[in-house]
Amino acid sequence: MPRNLNAERDNPCLKEQELSFKCLNKNNFDHEKCEVYFANYNNCKEFWNKVKSERRAKGLAPYLPPLEEREAIKAEYMKGKPQQN
């Protein structure tokens, strides 16, 4: 199956999505065994939806940042996030 050339640009959680699908395939579609992957994907979607919402409120376009800016945005977010034990 050829990958959509714009998939990575349009879906900032593509890696998490693919890992979820891979887990499902590996575990015969047993959702319980893939809950960690689903949670990670949902966290990713929530994060980027928040980024898009904030950019929209500030009048920044495009609402979803370009690929080149995403790592810096994630790094900035992680600096302000409390450490988990």
Side-chain angles (χ1 to χ4, degrees):
M1 170 171 117
R3 188 166 165 172
N4 177 351
L5 298 177
N6 296 322
E8 192 173 13
R9 184 196 72 202
D10 297 338
N11 181 0
C13 301
L14 183 64
K15 180 180 79 172
E16 291 80 0
Q17 176 181 317
E18 289 176 342
L19 289 171
S20 295
F21 290 150
K22 185 176 179 180
C23 179
L24 286 170
N25 283 329
K26 179 181 173 187
N27 292 292
N28 201 27
F29 292 86
D30 183 347
H31 285 249
E32 278 186 26
K33 292 181 179 176
C34 300
E35 286 179 0
V36 171
Y37 291 96
F38 299 149
N40 192 37
Y41 175 73
N42 287 331
N43 289 338
C44 180
K45 293 299 281 185
E46 286 177 24
F47 172 76
W48 287 109
N49 283 335
K50 182 179 174 188
V51 168
K52 287 193 298 188
S53 177
E54 289 174 1
R55 288 175 64 95
R56 186 178 303 115
K58 292 177 183 176
L60 296 173
Y63 301 141
L64 181 61
L67 286 170
E68 314 77 65
E69 296 177 18
R70 292 182 191 168
E71 282 302 318
I73 290 170
K74 285 196 293 188
E76 185 66 30
Y77 171 77
M78 294 306 284
K79 278 197 284 186
K81 187 174 181 185
Q83 292 291 328
Q84 292 182 355
N85 293 331

